[in-house]
Amino acid sequence: MAVKDYIRSRFFPHIWCPGCGHGIVLGGLLRAVDGLGIPKNDIVMVSGIGCSSRISGYVDFHTLHTLHGRALAFATGVKLSRPELKLIVPMGDGDALAIGGNHFIHAARRNIDITAIVMNNRIYGMTGGQFSPLTGPGLKATTAPGGTIDPMFDVAELARAAGATFVARTTTYHVREMSKILARAISHKGFSVVEIFSQCPTYFGRKNKEGGAVEMMRRYKEITVPVGSPDLQDNPELIERGVFVDRQMPEYCEEYDKIVRQAMERAAQA
Ligand code: SF4
């Protein structure tokens, strides 16, 4: 199937700003799905609110565009009722880890078979450039003109600590790596988290003098290294990319099915 067959072309041109990283994520995701050969009718994409969450409007999967921060809760309901379907949840950093933070850690704890994509541009883009939990201290936003004083999360560490069984990080610069990682995440049985650095030149780039999209993507190349790179010894400030966690644990829907079957057997014997 051609990648264009996964797209709802009637909704184009898209609403993202020129240079936004989210279109690169969309391309990387569709190439991953195409490579896996998953029929589009077997995929449900659930999104909340934000620039990143607009992806669900552009893909020709089953889609649900839901409430801010609640995409993982909706996706959990879909997965429990139709466990044979693939669930993909694209989120922005604010959507995933501010209002949606509680859903994020509990989806990871349960190990439900959902792929969460955190498109990390370190800002609330859609609502005007307010700082998010991933903006980081000293950086500027509409709501922090002098620089935010809030420490930031490490998405990968948070996901690992909460129990996610697949955790990875990549960037829009590393688009082939992104597709491979997304394919592994979608194939993984259990809760998988892929953090993708995705540039917002309109708000984060402009306010923090990081230049346009090209400069921001070049920066992703410069500040990240593959997991375990020897360069980390010389420069511990570098950020690791790649797969951090890939392990098997009982999957939530399967465990739930066992409980239901046991209850039905007991009822039949009574
Ligand atoms: S505001 Fe930022 S995140 Fe939103 S579409 Fe524009 S560049 Fe992309």
Side-chain angles (χ1 to χ4, degrees), residues 15 76 99 102 216 263 267:
I15 63 158
T76 297
I99 194 166
N102 211 23
M216 293 181 81

Side-chain angles (χ1 to χ4, degrees), residues 55-104:
I55 276 194
S56 64
Y58 303 137
V59 293
D60 197 20
F61 307 147
H62 301 292
T63 55
L64 287 166
H65 196 187
T66 69
L67 305 176
H68 190 33
R70 310 296 178 221
L72 285 169
F74 278 83
T76 297
V78 174
K79 184 70 186 175
L80 275 168
S81 61
R82 295 291 301 275
E84 74 279 12
L85 298 177
K86 287 275 180 203
L87 267 291
I88 300 174
V89 179
M91 297 173 284
D93 39 302
D95 193 41
L97 292 163
I99 194 166
N102 211 23
H103 295 298
F104 183 85

Side-chain angles (χ1 to χ4, degrees), residues 15-22 51-52 121 123-126 198-204:
I15 63 158
W16 293 315
C17 307
C20 177
H22 295 347
C51 297
S52 53
N121 56 21
I123 205 92
Y124 283 90
M126 183 172 271
S198 176
Q199 70 277 7
C200 172
T202 301
Y203 286 111
F204 189 85

